[in-house]
Amino acid sequence: MAVLRKGILPILLAVVISFAGTRLVACAGPVWPSDDEQLFLDAYRDYVADSATSDQYDRADKLFVEAVQVLSDTYVENIDRPAFVERAIASLPELEAEDNTPSAIVGAALDESLHDLDPHSAYMTDEMFRRLQESTEGSFAGVGIVISQDEDKLIRIVSPIDDTPAARAGLQPNDRITHIDGHDMKGEPIAEAVRLMRGRIGDPVTLTIQRKQENFDVTVKRARIEVPSVTASIIDNDLAYVRVSRFDASTLDQTREYLEMLEDKIGNPRGIIVDLRRNPGGLLDSAADIADQFLSDGLIVATEGRGERKLRSYEADSSDYFDGVPMAILLDRGSASGAELMAAALRENGRGVIIGEQSFGKGSMQRIMPLTSGGGLKITTGYYTTPENHIVQGNGVIPDIEVKLQDAEPFEREVDLEHALPPRRRDPRKVLASMDAASCERDINVARIGKSATSETPVEAEGDGEAKELQRDTVLECAVGYFSDGKLAVYRDQVEPLLRAGL
């Protein structure tokens, strides 16, 4: 089992729309079609434009055969290659590709067949690789949302990214995008939704939103999405608060900067709140590194592949900010992948109590694998395991203290997605206490610090110069009460001993 070295980030790429850390692996070498694969190579030619050349066919043939070989070698489960090829052939009549070149038809058939394996495996064009790199660097031009596709083939908003056009327009988790600038998105791949929402900075894009039984249009202007992934505050003068909205290449440096500021400003902290709500994940290394800032030793996360073969582990060896200070980690249904792993690592190492909702439940690992014939594959190759060897895939992370929001609508988690990989090795923990968020409302004083002081404020100005209060964050208010005399405080003496005992 290899141990990832601290301070050195492997070349890991993360697709924001699928909440996953991914590794870039090159594929090369000669490939030859089997009899089953030759059936596909014969079949797809009926769907190609008459102008296709022999060189284009040769490239597309190699693309398919190489892709099936890579899938067979690396997918997390054993692949029935004849059945996979049959699905690819069956998908051909249903393809709605505007580009009828050989590579485009083969790529579309591969994409459909890969989605039949699990929701996160896909074929990627060269353009998609470029967008992937942009998302990893934390900078791109768009509206600022994380999306997935539901079982009805509609584009679903998993989470708006903080302080972006989408968030300011009031888009919410679980909203469906039915149209983009009038284009019907039902059945369209996520890549097409991303393409339509990207564009020149300042240009408007109109999203038709379905929310419960209501349909309405929202027009937002595209912007350079360079939103910081970390903000921080001091609550009631002695509580440290850090919000991590995603994990990208700059998140660790931002987190360290804010933690140092908080330690300097709070002489005797009563507690620290780490907010991972609506965090869709990102780079695995980033999530593990940030968990490491609160741990001096212990396993943070490990990975396992086909047949439960152990692949890598990530051990804590960094500085321990707020050492000995009680911690609460906030999770909700939009917390996924790296956010779930970070929360589980902190709890299972006895560092913090989890407050909020059961998380999304994405615990699978994808690898980005370029193909010599063009494009590449995003393939699920393993699972992330927690320090106690649990797997969050399909299960999510169960909070110690559940806080229920009023009028919360049903929300699809990983296990509800079409072709989702089944749950494995669930953490047996149960919720220790449950309550409605409204029952522990309290007024709190939130003072933003550093750069976050200008990105969010407790009030927003209206056109007439008066101010209105922003919507209350009752879950945060419940967490604040946990550290003082709030409704959750009665559970503190019960939960903390269990936490320290690793239960």
Side-chain angles (χ1 to χ4, degrees):
M1 182 184 302
V3 178
L4 300 181
R5 294 179 58 194
K6 305 302 300 173
I8 301 177
L9 291 178
I11 303 177
L12 289 179
L13 299 179
V15 183
V16 173
I17 59 180
S18 62
F19 330 122
T22 56
R23 288 196 296 132
L24 186 64
V25 180
C27 308
V31 289
W32 306 101
S34 66
D35 291 342
D36 295 301
E37 291 159 356
Q38 188 62 50
L39 293 175
F40 175 85
L41 300 185
D42 295 336
Y44 89 84
R45 281 163 164 73
D46 293 337
Y47 301 88
V48 174
D50 294 337
S51 58
T53 67
S54 59
D55 286 344
Q56 288 177 317
Y57 276 119
D58 288 345
R59 186 178 181 86
D61 289 355
K62 182 179 180 183
L63 168 63
F64 184 79
V65 177
E66 184 182 6
V68 175
Q69 181 62 55
V70 169
L71 182 69
S72 180
D73 291 342
T74 60
Y75 193 68
V76 66
E77 305 291 347
N78 288 316
I79 293 295
D80 184 337
R81 290 176 68 161
F84 182 84
V85 174
E86 286 179 9
R87 287 196 297 271
I89 295 172
S91 73
L92 290 170
E94 307 299 324
L95 298 180
E96 297 179 359
E98 295 180 5
D99 183 353
N100 290 330
T101 60
S103 291
I105 294 297
V106 170
L110 281 171
D111 193 57
E112 284 291 324
S113 303
L114 287 165
H115 283 315
D116 284 343
L117 296 178
D118 72 78
H120 307 295
S121 293
Y123 172 75
M124 302 183 71
T125 64
D126 292 334
E127 174 65 15
M128 294 170 70
F129 275 118
R130 184 186 64 79
R131 292 173 182 164
L132 176 63
Q133 182 65 52
E134 287 180 349
S135 67
T136 305
E137 294 170 351
S139 174
F140 57 91
V143 301
I145 53 175
V146 180
I147 59 176
S148 68
Q149 193 171 53
D150 67 15
E151 77 283 354
D152 295 323
K153 301 296 184 181
L154 286 176
I155 302 300
R156 180 173 69 90
I157 296 178
V158 174
S159 179
I161 299 172
D162 286 352
D163 197 25
T164 63
R168 291 190 290 270
L171 298 183
Q172 299 177 8
N174 227 34
D175 284 347
R176 265 60 174 185
I177 301 176
T178 62
H179 295 77
I180 301 176
D181 280 338
H183 297 280
D184 188 352
M185 299 310 298
K186 185 169 185 178
E188 293 291 336
I190 287 177
E192 178 64 6
V194 172
R195 186 187 71 81
L196 290 172
M197 286 188 285
R198 296 283 175 90
R200 292 186 301 180
I201 294 174
D203 283 355
V205 57
T206 299
L207 309 179
T208 302
I209 302 299
Q210 180 185 89
R211 181 180 298 166
K212 296 183 178 180
Q213 303 303 315
E214 183 181 7
N215 291 276
F216 54 92
D217 287 343
V218 175
T219 299
V220 296
K221 289 185 177 181
R222 298 177 177 93
R224 175 64 61 184
I225 308 300
E226 293 180 336
V227 57
S229 52
V230 184
T231 56
S233 305
I234 298 173
I235 299 178
D236 292 345
N237 300 314
D238 61 357
L239 276 177
Y241 171 87
V242 177
R243 166 157 171 74
V244 182
S245 59
R246 61 186 295 237
F247 301 108
D248 59 37
S250 65
T251 305
L252 175 60
D253 289 341
Q254 295 177 52
T255 302
R256 283 175 170 163
E257 180 180 357
Y258 278 124
L259 290 175
E260 290 169 2
M261 292 174 63
L262 287 167
E263 285 193 329
D264 288 342
K265 291 177 177 293
I266 305 176
N268 186 25
R270 184 161 33 111
I272 179 169
I273 299 172
V274 179
D275 192 347
L276 301 177
R277 290 174 296 171
R278 304 181 303 281
N279 182 323
L283 292 175
L284 172 64
D285 271 22
S286 177
D289 272 330
I290 294 168
D292 197 4
Q293 305 312 300
F294 303 104
L295 298 170
S296 57
D297 56 34
L299 177 65
I300 295 176
V301 64
T303 62
E304 68 178 36
R306 185 183 298 177
E308 300 187 5
R309 179 171 60 92
K310 298 301 181 183
L311 301 176
R312 293 186 171 218
S313 64
Y314 205 128
E315 300 281 347
D317 64 2
S318 190
S319 55
D320 190 356
Y321 287 95
F322 288 89
D323 185 21
V325 175
M327 173 187 290
I329 304 113
L330 304 188
L331 287 185
D332 68 3
R333 59 189 69 185
S335 306
S337 193
E340 298 175 281
L341 299 171
M342 177 177 167
L346 293 174
R347 175 168 67 183
E348 292 179 17
N349 280 287
R351 186 61 187 88
V353 59
I354 297 176
I355 297 174
E357 296 180 300
Q358 178 183 350
S359 61
F360 185 78
K362 184 192 179 296
S364 61
M365 172 179 68
Q366 285 71 44
R367 295 170 69 184
I368 303 299
M369 312 182 76
L371 301 173
T372 60
S373 46
L377 304 181
K378 177 164 69 79
I379 298 179
T380 299
T381 59
Y383 297 96
Y384 301 119
T385 62
T386 71
E388 296 178 358
N389 205 30
H390 305 133
I391 293 179
V392 302
Q393 172 64 28
N395 299 308
V397 176
I398 302 297
D400 299 297
I401 301 175
E402 181 183 39
V403 179
K404 300 178 181 178
L405 293 171
Q406 286 185 327
D407 302 321
E409 62 178 299
F411 185 84
E412 291 178 349
R413 292 181 167 84
E414 172 78 11
V415 71
D416 301 312
L417 300 180
E418 189 175 16
H419 305 301
L421 294 170
R424 301 177 59 192
R425 299 210 304 269
R426 182 181 64 85
D427 185 343
R429 285 181 177 81
K430 303 292 185 182
V431 172
L432 300 177
S434 181
M435 64 184 57
D436 293 330
S439 69
C440 54
E441 281 187 6
R442 60 190 293 122
D443 292 329
I444 59 177
N445 177 38
V446 180
R448 307 285 181 184
I449 65 171
K451 295 178 182 178
S452 65
T454 58
S455 65
E456 294 181 59
T457 54
V459 297
E460 61 181 3
E462 293 185 287
D464 58 4
E466 296 182 1
K468 62 179 181 179
E469 291 187 4
L470 295 175
Q471 185 176 359
R472 300 190 74 111
D473 187 345
T474 49
V475 176
L476 176 59
E477 292 165 10
C478 286
V480 172
Y482 174 81
F483 293 104
S484 53
D485 58 353
K487 193 156 186 177
L488 295 188
V490 298
Y491 299 103
R492 189 173 58 245
D493 292 339
Q494 302 172 28
V495 173
E496 289 292 336
L498 296 175
L499 180 67
R500 300 302 175 188
L503 300 178

